[in-house]
Amino acid sequence: EPEPKQVKQQSETEKFTPPQRLEDLKPEFFCIILGFLGPTSQSLISLAMVNKQFSGTMGAIGRTMLSTAESHFRIPLKPKSAIESSTSLFVRHTRMCSKILLDMTNLRNTFNKDPYQIPYSKIQEALTTVLELLEISPALSTTLERQVLWTCGKCGGKLFKFCKHILKNNFTLEKSSFENGNKPSNKDFFQSMLDFSQRVMKTVVYREVQLSKQVRNSTTTYIENRDAMSCMASALFLKRI
């Protein structure tokens, strides 16, 4: 007997048509886009300005995520103005955290090398980063500040050992691979770095003792610490031009 002809079955789902407008995207696709952009992207703020619908959506997301971002700070960032959106404030907090983590990674990568292999300019740049991290550390959460203190303490300790070794054995700068240029004399430079490393380690120990006693710096104390570290940076030729 002849086989019956097969009848083509129509698809139960409608034919897919790509959305013509951004607001036509399904929620799951919109979440994928947000995940691709990341929490530090300026595009998150731009999305909130597309229309009223996106402004409400991004505002709700910003308010939800802001509390998580602020949990990394004992002294959260202040709004730039009375009308700054929660999305903008969230992005600024995440950018600050991201920069701190990146700075700590760069410091570890720099001081994990043989000190003789580190150019003079890299030491200056790294120590300026140490100062910036110590300035902001009292405003961070306990967990994040401990990471900062551990990293800065390690860098200060390695710098101290290196400078002490150089001064003790009367090594000259020409025997190392530092860059040429206008800089203080060898002895003055290494003595300054030795003093600087001691101050860094003392600052780290002081803050560690405070944290162990559950002492929380007020905003006034934080500003005093920041000014003190800035003066140290100026005295040790570490200010960026």
Side-chain angles (χ1 to χ4, degrees):
E1 296 179 0
E3 296 181 358
K5 295 182 179 180
Q6 295 181 355
V7 181
K8 293 183 178 180
Q9 299 289 336
Q10 292 184 350
S11 174
E12 295 181 357
T13 59
E14 297 180 356
K15 186 179 179 181
F16 174 76
T17 55
Q20 301 297 317
R21 300 178 303 171
L22 189 60
E23 50 264 38
D24 294 336
L25 282 174
K26 294 183 179 180
E28 54 267 29
F29 290 113
F30 185 67
C31 291
I32 292 175
I33 292 176
L34 294 182
F36 175 79
L37 293 175
T40 62
S41 176
Q42 187 73 19
S43 297
L44 297 180
I45 303 175
S46 300
L47 277 174
M49 296 186 291
V50 171
N51 54 35
K52 185 177 293 186
Q53 176 185 342
F54 276 92
S55 177
T57 300
M58 296 306 299
I61 293 174
R63 287 188 295 273
T64 301
M65 299 302 295
L66 181 58
S67 58
T68 302
E70 288 181 336
S71 67
H72 297 290
F73 296 81
R74 284 198 294 273
I75 306 177
L77 301 177
K78 293 182 179 180
K80 291 182 177 180
S81 66
I83 61 173
E84 183 178 13
S85 66
S86 57
T87 306
S88 173
L89 195 55
F90 164 70
V91 170
R92 288 203 294 121
H93 277 85
T94 55
R95 282 187 171 185
M96 176 67 73
C97 287
S98 178
K99 182 181 183 304
I100 291 171
L101 295 175
L102 179 61
D103 285 345
M104 288 193 292
T105 299
N106 291 337
L107 282 176
R108 288 191 290 267
N109 291 337
T110 297
F111 283 96
N112 279 341
K113 301 176 182 177
D114 182 351
Y116 290 100
Q117 304 290 326
I118 307 175
Y120 175 81
S121 60
K122 285 292 183 180
I123 287 187
Q124 283 189 312
E125 182 180 345
L127 295 182
T128 304
T129 302
V130 168
L131 289 173
E132 292 174 349
L133 288 174
L134 289 176
E135 287 177 16
I136 193 65
S137 65
L140 305 177
S141 66
T142 302
T143 302
L144 187 54
E145 183 178 9
R146 286 192 184 280
Q147 295 181 42
V148 170
L149 295 176
W150 184 89
T151 301
C152 293
K154 283 287 185 181
C155 295
K158 289 186 176 181
L159 180 64
F160 175 81
K161 291 180 180 179
F162 174 61
C163 292
K164 188 175 181 180
H165 180 70
I166 290 288
L167 294 172
K168 181 179 179 181
N169 294 277
N170 294 320
F171 286 171
T172 60
L173 196 61
E174 288 75 14
K175 290 184 180 180
S176 65
S177 59
F178 287 102
E179 296 175 346
N180 294 325
N182 296 325
K183 47 185 173 286
S185 66
N186 301 343
K187 184 177 180 180
D188 291 342
F189 170 74
F190 287 114
Q191 187 61 54
S192 295
M193 293 299 99
L194 187 70
D195 295 340
F196 171 82
S197 62
Q198 287 178 311
R199 294 188 184 187
V200 168
M201 290 187 291
K202 288 179 180 179
T203 301
V204 169
V205 171
Y206 173 73
R207 283 297 303 158
E208 285 285 4
V209 171
Q210 284 189 317
L211 289 175
S212 65
K213 294 181 179 179
Q214 300 297 313
V215 175
R216 296 293 183 265
N217 272 8
S218 63
T219 305
T220 303
T221 308
Y222 162 64
I223 294 175
E224 290 174 353
N225 289 346
R226 181 190 62 192
D227 293 341
M229 296 303 292
S230 298
C231 292
M232 186 197 308
S234 177
L236 296 176
F237 316 101
L238 296 175
K239 280 289 186 182
R240 285 197 180 101
I241 298 176

